[in-house]
Amino acid sequence: MTRPDVDVAIIGAGFAGLGAAIKLLQTGRTSLLVFERANEVGGTWRENTYPGCACDIPSHLYSFSFAPNPNWSRKFSPQAEILAYLKNCVEQYDLQPYIRYNTDIIRTEFLADQALWQLTDRAGNVLTARVVVGATGPLNRPSIPKLKGLDVFTGKTFHSSNWDHTVDLAGKRVAVIGTGASAIQIVPELAKTVSQLSVFQRTAPYITPRLNTSYSAFWQGIYRRFPAAQRAHRHVQYWLNELVGMAFLGNETISKVATAQSRKHLEASISDPDLRQKVTPDYKIGCKRVLVSDDYYPALNRPNVDLVTERIAELSPTGIVTRDGTERPVDLIIFSTGFVAADIICDLHITGLEGRSLFDEWLKTGPEAYMGMTAEGFPNLVFLVGPNTGLGHNSIVHMIESQVAYLLDYLRLLDQAGENAYLNVKPDVQRVYNNDIQEQLNGTVWSSGCQSWYISQTGRNTTIWPGLTVTYRKLTRRVKPEAYEARRAINYEAADKITG
Ligand SMILES: Cc1cc2nc3c(=O)[nH]c(=O)nc-3n(C[C@H](O)[C@H](O)[C@H](O)COP(=O)(O)OP(=O)(O)OC[C@H]3O[C@@H](n4cnc5c(N)ncnc54)[C@H](O)[C@@H]3O)c2cc1C
């Protein structure tokens, strides 16, 4: 029988990969490796270092339930603190020996004759695993618009997730393209330093007050001494977010309250009628991610900040030209244009049964998986934060923990199936599940007609979970054995002889 080099190979060391590794170790599954292409853990929180970067789900909720941190400094803690938290988890749970840094997995191929995955990294090293966990992240492939003239612009450009800290911003004329979650954190910070800031907006976001209170030493002490108090605080935040989520799922009353709150915030912050009109969203709240900020609108009021709603025509060597013919000279362009999320295009090649290529298939059909985790034809492969498991209203860490519980149950089922077995989700089960998902999306705000990064090239929403997270948790509590077909390695005997 062919023995794998490692039982479980996890690709990615962000919240998802680390959460999975911790739980696997805690349940005695020590044959595991985490492959990370960078030289440190953290994923999103390693890559995004722009000024003002912070979470927009409260920290006590945007962290593992099993690793509470009583010391969060603020309701929405800054990037450095979240990265430190993840690094601390690595130390606290002794993960370091299991992580292989600077290891970019470029190919994984399922060897059906041995029921093993063969992983290849960029340096050409090869390793086999019984199960692969894809924790490569939803938001780390920058989406940069193909603007005419990008090659002739002589100033500096970079994406918000790839901040160039060597650039001195003081006194510069800067353009921020985009007004999404990152931009509204960046703009208030830049406005304080640069001489002129032009913010290019395609669609106005809904913004609600952030109320980013700091936790006093008193409260941190309470949470340290009384973990139940911290848990209660987390629960309140969780259920408040679930309540808001109901607005996106079709509850008109909550939707109206949320819209009114956002409008009130806008009107209290901006008095210029022209600017007010420009920042007033013209679609239903929640169709695009609702943002939280107290300082974005005030930043737009500053004399050195200009909100541009005219579409960009092209870049000139020294600036940005809009369709009305106006040229704005700029020294630096920051693309705060988000990520390619819906198409899950990855530079990792995944080959499953009969030589099928997962991402080629997903490009044609739009990404889909059963429970957002397992895909037919690609056995013993479990995705974390896969298709239709993203959120518009609550902490993704809650979804990750649901998925990790499912992964553990999946491994239990696989063990029961015997050695050299693999579990392939049944095609009709996957189809019915995904038809249901698309049907459920029909009744939600995400199908109300706005243009958003949730929609894939195929026109389908392949990113959002169309329900409450509590529903997903219930659904993923146990693996349904009848959803999977258990098979044995095709060449079981032969494989046995090869390895002796
Ligand atoms: C600026 C920003 C703020 C956000 N704030 C919130 C928030 O407040 N609340 C919320 O719920 N969500 C938020 N998100 C979404 C965020 O992406 C998720 O919350 C979470 O961090 C995803 O974790 P992950 O482990 O799935 O992915 P990531 O954090 O992206 O980690 C994936 C890891 O996999 C590695 N990797 C990828 N491919 C390979 C490969 N082929 N080989 C080896 N390694 C590989 C990457 O280097 C990375 O380290 C935010 C996203 C951004 C960009």
Side-chain angles (χ1 to χ4, degrees):
M1 193 196 75
T2 316
R3 296 238 174 253
D5 296 317
V6 67
D7 194 47
V8 183
I10 300 173
I11 310 176
F15 257 111
L18 295 178
I22 293 168
K23 284 290 156 190
L24 285 167
L25 288 178
Q26 283 183 338
T27 48
R29 294 189 181 272
T30 53
S31 177
L32 80 93
L33 284 175
V34 183
F35 297 105
E36 172 52 57
R37 65 177 167 210
N39 60 4
E40 57 176 0
V41 301
T44 296
W45 302 103
R46 180 193 68 238
E47 284 170 3
N48 291 271
T49 59
Y50 58 76
C53 184
C55 52
D56 54 15
I57 291 287
S59 294
H60 280 280
L61 185 55
Y62 188 61
S63 44
F64 295 121
S65 64
F66 52 83
N69 171 18
N71 303 322
W72 290 119
S73 66
R74 313 189 71 82
K75 183 174 171 197
F76 302 100
S77 300
Q79 168 266 336
E81 237 178 276
I82 305 171
L83 181 59
Y85 167 80
L86 288 171
K87 287 183 176 172
N88 191 49
C89 284
V90 170
E91 298 311 321
Q92 189 182 341
Y93 293 95
D94 267 334
L95 291 187
Q96 213 62 273
Y98 299 93
I99 305 176
R100 298 287 173 272
Y101 294 100
N102 302 309
T103 308
D104 186 8
I105 303 296
I106 55 166
R107 200 162 48 241
T108 94
E109 187 184 349
F110 189 68
L111 310 175
D113 59 343
Q114 299 166 57
L116 294 180
W117 282 97
Q118 180 174 280
L119 292 86
T120 309
D121 72 11
R122 199 167 285 284
N125 302 306
V126 176
L127 171 140
T128 56
R130 186 169 68 129
V131 174
V132 170
V133 176
T136 52
L139 300 180
N140 52 27
R141 295 168 289 279
S143 164
I144 298 183
K146 291 182 182 71
L147 294 175
K148 191 174 157 206
L150 200 50
D151 51 338
V152 301
F153 179 66
T154 51
K156 187 121 188 117
T157 65
F158 54 78
H159 187 267
S160 57
S161 67
N162 196 13
W163 199 269
D164 184 344
H165 290 277
T166 63
V167 176
D168 180 11
L169 298 162
K172 293 265 171 20
R173 295 164 305 177
V174 180
V176 170
I177 300 183
T179 52
S182 297
I184 66 143
Q185 295 182 339
I186 293 169
V187 165
E189 295 304 314
L190 290 195
K192 293 177 201 161
T193 331
V194 305
S195 68
Q196 176 62 37
L197 180 61
S198 303
V199 182
F200 289 81
Q201 171 189 284
R202 196 171 59 178
T203 324
Y206 275 95
I207 301 177
T208 54
R210 191 181 191 204
L211 312 172
N212 195 11
T213 43
S214 55
Y215 289 103
S216 62
F218 171 77
W219 277 107
Q220 291 175 343
I222 291 282
Y223 293 148
R224 256 193 307 277
R225 251 168 292 147
F226 306 105
Q230 190 180 353
R231 275 199 300 278
H233 183 49
R234 180 184 167 103
H235 279 305
V236 170
Q237 290 172 331
Y238 172 75
W239 287 108
L240 277 175
N241 281 340
E242 288 290 82
L243 192 70
V244 171
M246 287 168 65
F248 307 158
L249 301 176
N251 185 310
E252 285 302 324
T253 309
I254 303 176
S255 176
K256 276 189 194 136
V257 172
T259 308
Q261 191 197 26
S262 167
R263 289 269 149 85
K264 202 171 139 206
H265 180 49
L266 188 165
E267 283 161 18
S269 317
I270 293 179
S271 51
D272 173 25
D274 241 23
L275 185 56
R276 256 194 200 179
Q277 206 224 327
K278 282 181 175 177
V279 294
T280 302
D282 59 358
Y283 53 92
K284 224 174 158 182
I285 193 164
C287 189
K288 292 162 80 78
R289 193 173 175 90
V290 179
L291 312 179
V292 287
S293 175
D294 294 331
D295 50 5
Y296 176 70
Y297 287 146
L300 296 183
N301 287 327
R302 292 175 67 120
N304 65 333
V305 179
D306 178 23
L307 182 76
V308 185
T309 51
E310 194 66 40
R311 289 297 172 92
I312 295 173
E314 61 177 332
L315 304 189
S316 71
T318 52
I320 298 181
V321 184
T322 44
R323 285 191 194 161
D324 59 358
T326 311
E327 177 173 359
R328 286 175 180 77
V330 293
D331 308 306
L332 165 67
I333 298 175
I334 295 159
F335 289 106
S336 192
T337 37
F339 302 88
V340 178
D343 287 300
I344 314 192
I345 304 163
C346 225
D347 46 5
L348 163 68
H349 295 277
I350 301 181
T351 310
L353 295 172
E354 291 140 21
R356 287 168 55 185
S357 160
L358 183 64
F359 293 132
D360 284 356
E361 290 187 11
W362 278 2
L363 269 182
K364 284 191 208 119
T365 61
E368 67 166 50
Y370 177 57
M371 301 289 167
M373 284 187 274
T374 55
E376 171 271 315
F378 301 85
N380 292 10
L381 168 64
V382 179
F383 283 101
L384 303 179
V385 200
N388 288 107
T389 63
L391 297 177
H393 74 285
N394 215 332
S395 170
I396 199 70
V397 181
H398 191 273
M399 295 295 270
I400 290 171
E401 289 191 32
S402 300
Q403 297 182 338
V404 169
Y406 189 91
L407 167 69
L408 296 179
D409 209 35
Y410 181 95
L411 291 172
R412 188 188 52 76
L413 193 66
L414 184 60
D415 289 346
Q416 280 173 8
E419 281 193 282
N420 279 43
Y422 57 87
L423 297 177
N424 193 25
V425 64
K426 292 177 184 165
D428 54 328
V429 169
Q430 182 175 320
R431 198 172 42 247
V432 169
Y433 174 84
N434 280 283
N435 287 346
D436 276 0
I437 290 279
Q438 292 303 318
E439 215 155 276
Q440 283 174 50
L441 276 163
N442 277 337
T444 69
V445 71
W446 299 290
S447 302
S448 61
C450 69
Q451 193 192 352
S452 80
W453 54 264
Y454 300 143
I455 313 293
S456 79
Q457 282 178 28
T458 59
R460 279 172 50 210
N461 184 326
T462 55
T463 47
I464 284 281
W465 166 247
L468 297 178
T469 65
V470 70
T471 314
Y472 187 74
R473 176 140 300 181
K474 262 197 221 149
L475 208 63
T476 50
R477 189 151 282 150
R478 303 290 297 187
V479 174
K480 287 194 179 120
E482 64 274 19
Y484 291 90
E485 187 194 359
R487 293 192 206 159
R488 307 298 296 272
I490 295 168
N491 205 6
Y492 187 76
E493 285 302 315
D496 227 18
K497 279 181 199 137
I498 292 166
T499 54

